[in-house]
Amino acid sequence: TVTEQYALALGGTLLAGFSDWLDGYLAKKMKNQESSLGSYLDPLADKVLVTCLTVASGYKGLIDPTVCGVIIGRDVLLLGGAFVHRAAVLNWRWRSWNEYFRVVNSSSANGAGGQGKAGKAPAVKPIFISKLNTVFQIALVSSAITHGAVAWPSADLVEGLGYLTAATTIMSGLIYVRMYFKGQMLT
């Protein structure tokens, strides 16, 4: 997108979106294919894709910089919060990054956080508004890239979709923060 190769950027975005959907579909349909590791990697891949495309589209003036800031700011807040929470669960001590990022229980993990040992990290369970927000974010960057390539959809439609995306981004971020403080996630 930064080099204005919009057709290539749009094709890659659509392919990434389809492969993400297919991965999720197959994980749910095939027995025992969902994993704690996958619950982290799948949304991380979504965030990397959306963040890169948001930054590039914002840089090219295709997405309002304020909308870019809201999208990226929420993700930084949630990811930073998750890292701090995990460190606190481990009492700010862990023997290796393998222990910090553990997604399965090991025989040496006994849940004793004070000794730098803890059980596996909890699986990530996205809420509905967050899934909807991801759809809006991908629709936003796709429409912005398409607008850059062929001036369709209109700039007004892309702008409106940007504000709708910003609203769902803020809502999902606030709901996650509220859930965290109520002890409803990352336990």
Side-chain angles (χ1 to χ4, degrees):
T1 301
V2 172
T3 60
E4 298 183 9
Q5 295 182 9
Y6 297 117
L8 183 60
L10 182 60
T13 302
L14 295 176
L15 180 62
F18 174 75
S19 69
D20 181 50
W21 170 83
L22 183 62
D23 171 60
Y25 176 81
L26 292 175
K28 286 180 180 28
K29 291 295 178 187
M30 298 173 73
K31 301 250 187 258
N32 299 322
Q33 293 302 308
E34 291 180 310
S35 70
S36 182
L37 178 61
S39 80
Y40 284 87
L41 294 180
D42 184 61
L44 180 62
D46 292 346
K47 293 300 131 200
V48 168
L49 172 70
V50 168
T51 299
C52 290
L53 293 172
T54 299
V55 168
S57 296
Y59 177 78
K60 293 305 285 184
L62 300 172
I63 297 176
D64 182 320
T66 303
V67 172
C68 294
V70 167
I71 292 170
I72 294 165
R74 183 207 77 149
D75 291 341
V76 167
L77 174 73
L78 294 181
L79 188 60
F83 275 99
V84 168
H85 175 80
R86 181 64 175 162
V89 166
L90 294 170
N91 201 26
W92 299 93
R93 288 184 228 133
W94 52 92
R95 290 179 289 193
S96 68
W97 288 109
N98 286 341
E99 182 176 1
Y100 183 87
F101 289 108
R102 180 180 301 123
V103 292
V104 296
N105 282 323
S106 71
S107 58
S108 65
N110 62 7
Q115 298 163 355
K117 297 178 185 175
K120 69 178 183 173
V124 174
K125 300 286 187 198
I127 56 176
F128 174 76
I129 187 73
S130 186
K131 290 180 180 184
L132 183 63
N133 178 250
T134 298
V135 169
F136 282 140
Q137 288 177 349
I138 291 171
L140 173 62
V141 294
S142 297
S143 65
I145 293 167
T146 303
H147 176 77
V150 295
W152 180 89
S154 70
D156 289 341
L157 192 134
V158 174
E159 183 179 30
L161 182 57
Y163 295 134
L164 178 62
T165 303
T168 60
T169 300
I170 291 167
M171 280 193 315
S172 68
L174 290 173
I175 290 169
Y176 276 131
V177 169
R178 187 192 83 204
M179 288 174 66
Y180 175 78
F181 284 110
K182 286 180 137 189
Q184 297 173 328
M185 60 185 306
L186 297 177
T187 56

